[in-house]
Amino acid sequence: FTMGIRMRVELRALALVALVPSVTAAVAVHSLARGGARATLSRVSMSTLADVPSVIYGGGRIGQTLASMGCVGDVIVRRGEPFPTTPSSGPIYVCTRNDALAGIVASTPPERRKDLVFVQNGMLGGFLAKEGLAANTQVLLYLAVSKLGERPIDGITEFNPEGLTAATGKWAGAFAARLQKGGLTCRALDGDPYTAAMLEKHVWICAFMLVGALNGGVTVGDVELKHSAQLKELCEELCAAGEEALGVKLAPGVFARLAAYGRSVAHFPTAVKELEWRNGWFYELSKAAAAGGKPDRTPIHSAGLLTLGVVS
């Protein structure tokens, strides 16, 4: 299949994939990476560019969706089940909640942990760095599955007809190949382009969920349609703070892109959850600023979290 993948890998990409959930560490990692040498990988093992039998942690909506598009030899591992002996190689897709990640890593044989592929929402960098998995494959998943067994809604909008889902790392090509078999899209990104895409998705989920929760838990569609001004103001401050922390610049038209994706999943509910991995990342920036005697770069966001009582 044709993917148009550019496998241009810089040494700084290895650090940026491991973005940590504190402003001090995030800036330190990025600065160190920018000062390092540059390397280009011009040849990639063909095994990473085709779908292969895989282990799938989690039998929920996303896990079942990946399995339905997969290969003979795939194995789904559900809660409490041992890690399978076969397949003995290939990607290990982690399709669980964030709070299960530590247990997933612990239950995976050490020699296979480099094959773990993380598809969760939120900033995983601090966790992955702590586990020694900073270079593992990560996926920005723009797939909405309303119910178990239903066909997923791909992340395609009028501004992103190529699709929004993106992956980086060793198994990015294999993941994209699996999605393509199901008629879904995926981009392979590295370095700053991946970091920018990660920030943009993070802003989307943090902003839409917070504005929705502040307005009584309305749907994503209502947030975009009825609370657009509130949403835009929040998105702008989160983007600016994230760009500064991560040392990247988002392409013009961010809000239009975020709003368009909101319309594509308009029926989805809103709630602020998994705080440590999602809105908590921005709140850590605010706390770090306060500790350093600097103004809060995201005062609207901080006030919203306080209003909801999820921080104190």
Side-chain angles (χ1 to χ4, degrees):
F1 72 102
T2 302
M3 293 176 54
I5 300 175
R6 290 185 180 179
M7 298 304 294
R8 178 173 172 261
V9 181
E10 300 180 355
L11 289 180
R12 63 180 180 175
L14 298 177
L16 283 169
V17 170
L19 295 169
V20 294
S22 71
V23 61
T24 303
V27 173
V29 167
H30 189 75
S31 298
L32 177 63
R34 284 192 177 279
R38 302 180 67 174
T40 300
L41 183 64
S42 59
R43 300 181 67 183
V44 180
S45 169
M46 289 304 293
S47 67
T48 66
L49 301 179
D51 191 17
V52 295
S54 307
V55 175
I56 301 171
Y57 273 119
R61 290 174 294 175
I62 299 300
Q64 291 284 5
T65 296
L66 291 184
S68 72
M69 298 181 287
C71 300
V72 174
D74 282 351
V75 176
I76 295 179
V77 180
R78 293 176 171 82
R79 187 187 302 273
E81 294 181 345
F83 189 83
T85 56
T86 58
S88 59
S89 62
I92 304 168
Y93 297 116
V94 184
C95 306
T96 66
R97 291 175 55 88
N98 296 54
D99 58 12
L101 291 180
I104 294 295
V105 173
S107 65
T108 303
E111 67 274 12
R112 293 296 317 277
R113 290 175 187 172
K114 66 182 181 299
D115 295 316
L116 290 167
V117 177
F118 297 92
V119 305
Q120 287 70 25
N121 286 313
M123 292 291 193
L124 307 183
F127 169 79
L128 295 180
K130 183 178 70 174
E131 297 289 340
L133 304 175
N136 275 50
T137 302
Q138 289 183 257
V139 176
L140 304 174
L141 196 60
Y142 283 87
L143 293 182
V145 185
S146 299
K147 296 179 182 178
L148 192 65
E150 283 194 358
R151 178 169 176 77
I153 301 170
D154 202 354
I156 294 175
T157 71
E158 65 266 36
F159 297 104
N160 294 97
E162 77 283 6
L164 286 162
T165 293
T168 190
K170 174 183 178 180
W171 294 112
F175 182 80
R178 179 166 293 224
L179 290 196
Q180 189 193 47
K181 290 195 300 183
L184 302 172
T185 59
C186 180
R187 303 168 293 157
L189 302 175
D190 286 298
D192 282 356
Y194 182 83
T195 303
M198 178 175 65
L199 174 60
E200 196 160 312
K201 185 171 192 282
H202 195 57
V203 169
W204 186 90
I205 197 164
C206 290
F208 268 85
M209 296 300 111
L210 181 56
V211 172
L214 288 170
N215 289 282
V218 297
T219 64
V220 165
D222 280 344
V223 170
E224 190 274 330
L225 181 65
K226 300 178 181 179
H227 306 283
S228 181
Q230 183 183 10
L231 177 66
K232 187 173 189 294
E233 190 175 24
L234 178 59
C235 285
E236 287 175 348
E237 75 166 24
L238 293 182
C239 286
E243 288 175 330
E244 181 180 357
L246 303 180
V248 296
K249 185 68 176 177
L250 300 182
V254 175
F255 183 71
R257 293 193 297 274
L258 299 181
Y261 182 64
R263 291 191 294 272
S264 76
V265 290
H267 61 293
F268 264 58
T270 60
V272 173
K273 54 186 180 181
E274 295 187 327
L275 184 70
E276 173 188 355
W277 309 89
R278 300 185 185 184
N279 296 76
W281 187 84
F282 284 109
Y283 194 61
E284 288 296 322
L285 298 181
S286 299
K287 292 199 298 182
K294 299 178 180 179
D296 187 355
R297 291 296 308 275
T298 59
I300 299 171
H301 178 261
S302 298
L305 295 181
L306 288 167
T307 296
L308 293 176
V310 295
V311 299
S312 58

